[in-house]
């Protein structure tokens, strides 16, 4: 497992980590101080494992070059690593270059008693305004320009205003730092209160109630083996978590980290977070019921759609049968071709209907033979209208020959229906 020097606390859910900037920036000859290379390396390493990183600052400042490396690491991760953010918190002092590191967080918090200080850069303990060091002075002015650009970008203050603050070595309280745009929020630690002796004495004071419940500590459940999103909690688990928070006596840092809350949120923040989870669970359950209702409605609509589709298909089938049978009666198609025409009508009713409409109507074979005066009643009932040309040729060749000789047009029509071409007479 990778070793960390500045990495402090991680939560059970594996989403939030704290890294401490609690020393002078830059390593001296004795090896003391914060190494910018190692600090930046740990930041990048933690950014691959956690979604939120909190840089906690209490530093007198130090080497500018080392501090700028840490600034660059924070800004680069916030800008180029999707889903990961680094916030900064001034827990005590953020002096000199430590103040610039502080303003690099995505969100910047500052404790109500903390201080932030700005001054001009200098080399080797000599003030940069020394006229005897012209070369160094020019170098320091270039460095100051870099720092001013960074501060102006992060705070929204004008460069001239920031330069004057650095010239005067300006100290800022938390409230003043927030007013001038250096920090986004000021947090404070709750005031110590005397402990109430009973629930009745505590009345509705949350802090007092916590003190009373803390007399009866409840052991936390084992750390979960999975890292599912908090929304996977059931309402019963959320209630159990709330009861454990009420009864837990000890450092709440791990609980705050597990909830993804700042360390200054306190028990009120934890209870609010748990209540939010419970409400979200209720909302999601309500959505589940609505989704199930929608699914049922969709399923009913699909069934109705299928029923209507089947009804329409059956109606079209009856229409196709009626169409083809009527065409047979009108002599437009031969009875032996009925199935073929039906299949076409099932596939494309409109096309078959239009095709048959354009075909001429012909009397059936019996009526034509009767009209020729060549058949008697027995011959008329011999089922000629049900026979094709080939069947007539095989069963009644003399009748077919009679038709050929006396009515060539009828003969050609019968032949064309059978073979699709004109006969050679």
């Amino acid at each position: 497992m990778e070793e960390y020097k500045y990495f402090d606390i991680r939560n059970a859910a594996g989403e939030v980590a704290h890294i401490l900037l609690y020393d002078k920036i830059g390593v001296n000859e004795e090896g003391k101080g914060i190494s910018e290379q190692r600090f930046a390396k740990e930041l990048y390493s933690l950014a691959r494992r956690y979604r939120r990183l909190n840089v906690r600052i209490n530093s007198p400042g130090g080497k500018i070059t080392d501090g700028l490396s840490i600034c660059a690491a924070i800004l680069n991760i916030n800008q180029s690593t999707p889903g990961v953010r680094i916030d900064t918190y001034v827990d005590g002092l953020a002096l000199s270059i430590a103040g610039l590191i502080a303003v690099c967080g995505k969100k910047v918090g500052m404790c109500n008693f903390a201080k932030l200080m700005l001054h001009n850069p200098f080399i080797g303990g000599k003030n940069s305004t020394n006229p005897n060091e012209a070369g160094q002075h020019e170098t320091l002015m270039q460095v100051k320009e870099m720092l001013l650009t960074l501060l102006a970008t992060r705070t929204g203050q004008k460069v001239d205003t920031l330069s004057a603050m650095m010239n005067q070595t300006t100290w800022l309280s938390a409230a003043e730092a927030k007013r001038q745009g250096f920090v986004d929020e000021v947090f404070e630690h709750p005031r110590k209160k005397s402990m109430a002796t009973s629930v009745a004495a505590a009345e509705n004071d949350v802090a007092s109630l916590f003190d009373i419940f803390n007399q009866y500590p409840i052991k936390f459940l084992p750390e979960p083996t999975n890292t599912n999103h908090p929304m996977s909690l059931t309402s019963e688990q959320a209630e159990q978590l709330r009861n454990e928070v009420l009864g837990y006596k000890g450092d709440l840092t791990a609980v705050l980290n597990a909830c993804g809350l700042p360390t200054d949120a306190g028990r009120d923040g934890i209870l609010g977070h748990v209540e939010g989870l419970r409400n979200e669970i209720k909302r999601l359950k309500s959505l589940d019921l609505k989704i199930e209702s929608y699914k049922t409605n969709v399923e009913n609509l699909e069934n109705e759609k299928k029923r209507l589709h089947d009804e329409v298909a059956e109606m079209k089938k009856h229409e196709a049968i009626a169409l083809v049978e009527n065409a047979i009666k009108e002599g437009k198609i031969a009875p032996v071709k009925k199935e073929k025409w039906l299949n076409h009508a099932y596939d494309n009713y409109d096309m078959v209907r239009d095709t048959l409409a354009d075909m001429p109507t012909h009397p059936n074979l019996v009526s034509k033979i009767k009209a020729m005066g060549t058949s008697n009643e027995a011959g008329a009932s011999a089922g000629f209208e049900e026979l094709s040309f080939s069947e007539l040729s095989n069963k009644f060749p003399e009748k077919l020959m009679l038709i050929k000789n006396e009515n060539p047009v009828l003969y050609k029509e019968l032949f064309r229906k059978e073979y699709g071409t004109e006969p050679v007479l």
Side-chain angles (χ1 to χ4, degrees):
M1 182 176 179
E2 188 171 1
E3 294 184 0
Y4 294 93
K5 183 175 181 179
Y6 308 112
F7 174 36
D8 179 36
I9 301 170
R10 64 187 177 93
N11 73 340
E15 295 180 353
V16 182
H18 295 274
I19 186 166
L20 303 182
L21 197 70
Y22 276 14
D23 204 344
K24 191 172 183 180
I25 298 169
V27 179
N28 60 20
E29 295 178 354
E30 299 177 354
K32 297 181 179 180
I34 295 175
S35 165
E36 89 288 2
Q37 184 178 17
R38 181 161 183 174
F39 194 92
K41 181 179 178 181
E42 289 191 18
L43 274 180
Y44 278 102
S45 176
L46 292 171
R48 291 192 295 269
R49 298 174 54 194
Y50 302 96
R51 293 192 305 160
R52 285 182 54 190
L53 302 177
N54 295 330
V55 177
R56 316 295 305 202
I57 302 171
N58 182 28
S59 171
K63 297 180 181 179
I64 294 176
T65 53
D66 293 44
L68 287 175
S69 295
I70 297 174
C71 289
I74 295 173
L75 293 171
N76 288 337
I77 291 172
N78 275 335
Q79 182 177 8
S80 61
T81 308
V84 176
R85 61 178 289 168
I86 300 180
D87 297 331
T88 52
Y89 295 89
V90 181
D91 293 336
L93 296 176
L95 311 185
S96 188
I97 191 63
L100 274 81
I101 294 173
V103 302
C104 291
K106 178 83 73 172
K107 181 181 74 173
V108 183
M110 188 170 179
C111 183
N112 62 332
F113 60 74
K115 293 288 184 180
L116 188 150
M117 184 267 280
L118 303 176
H119 64 74
N120 281 327
F122 57 88
I123 298 176
K126 299 180 181 180
N127 192 287
S128 61
T129 59
N130 187 342
N132 297 325
E133 302 291 343
Q136 289 186 359
H137 178 75
E138 177 61 26
T139 299
L140 290 172
M141 288 302 98
Q142 295 295 327
V143 173
K144 181 178 180 180
E145 183 178 343
M146 294 172 57
L147 304 181
L148 287 172
T149 300
L150 174 59
L151 282 171
T153 301
R154 300 300 297 170
T155 65
Q157 291 277 3
K158 294 181 179 180
V159 170
D160 291 343
T161 301
L162 293 167
S163 179
M165 294 174 69
M166 294 175 73
N167 290 339
Q168 299 169 8
T169 305
T170 302
W171 290 74
L172 298 173
S173 65
E176 186 65 19
K178 181 179 180 182
R179 188 183 70 80
Q180 298 197 36
F182 287 85
V183 301
D184 302 308
E185 66 176 15
V186 176
F187 61 90
E188 60 183 46
H189 299 286
R191 185 179 65 181
K192 185 180 183 301
K193 291 186 177 182
S194 58
M195 179 177 169
T197 57
S198 67
V199 173
E203 295 182 336
N204 293 324
D205 184 78
V206 176
S208 297
L209 287 170
F210 275 132
D211 289 336
I212 294 171
F213 281 117
N214 281 344
Q215 298 179 71
Y216 310 97
I218 299 176
K219 185 178 181 181
F220 269 91
L221 293 175
E223 181 176 348
T225 56
N226 59 60
T227 56
N228 291 336
H229 192 274
M231 288 300 100
S232 63
L233 286 174
T234 65
S235 58
E236 293 77 13
Q237 290 172 326
E239 179 64 22
Q240 183 180 16
L241 177 59
R242 181 179 182 277
N243 292 334
E244 289 175 350
V245 172
L246 284 171
Y248 183 66
K249 184 177 182 181
D251 187 5
L252 290 174
T253 302
V255 181
L256 290 166
N257 288 330
C259 297
L261 299 173
T263 54
D264 59 295
R267 287 185 173 89
D268 287 340
I270 296 173
L271 281 183
H273 179 74
V274 173
E275 186 63 26
L277 289 179
R278 295 176 66 186
N279 292 335
E280 182 66 7
I281 290 168
K282 291 179 181 177
R283 186 184 72 83
L284 292 176
K285 285 185 176 180
S286 175
L287 288 177
D288 285 340
L289 293 176
K290 290 181 180 179
I291 291 172
E292 288 301 319
S293 176
Y294 291 147
K295 286 181 178 179
T296 301
N297 290 338
V298 170
E299 184 177 352
N300 291 338
L301 289 174
E302 288 292 339
N303 292 335
E304 181 64 12
K305 177 182 176 182
K306 183 178 183 301
R307 185 186 67 79
L308 293 174
H309 180 271
D310 292 342
E311 285 186 3
V312 170
E314 190 66 22
M315 291 173 59
K316 287 185 175 181
K317 182 178 179 180
H318 288 300
E319 289 178 355
I321 292 173
L323 177 67
V324 173
E325 288 181 346
N326 187 61
I328 293 173
K329 290 179 181 179
E330 293 178 346
K332 293 183 177 182
I333 58 177
V336 294
K337 303 293 184 181
K338 179 179 179 179
E339 289 301 321
K340 181 178 179 181
W341 281 92
L342 280 175
N343 290 333
H344 288 310
Y346 294 154
D347 293 338
N348 196 329
Y349 176 86
D350 292 339
M351 183 190 72
V352 172
R353 179 196 60 200
D354 295 341
T355 301
L356 291 175
D358 294 336
M359 294 174 63
T361 301
H362 301 286
N364 60 40
L365 182 57
V366 172
S367 61
K368 287 185 177 182
I369 294 176
K370 283 182 178 180
M372 290 171 58
T374 58
S375 81
N376 53 32
E377 198 64 32
S381 61
F384 291 122
E385 72 275 9
E386 301 295 336
L387 301 178
S388 65
F389 184 91
S390 58
E391 290 173 328
L392 282 170
S393 178
N394 292 330
K395 296 180 180 180
F396 303 100
E398 70 285 354
K399 299 294 184 182
L400 185 60
M401 185 58 65
L402 180 63
I403 293 172
K404 178 180 179 182
N405 294 331
E406 296 186 9
N407 194 337
V409 174
L410 177 57
Y411 181 86
K412 288 181 180 180
E413 182 182 331
L414 293 171
F415 188 93
R416 186 169 56 251
K417 284 186 177 181
E418 177 77 15
Y419 301 108
T421 185
E422 294 286 337
V424 179
L425 298 178

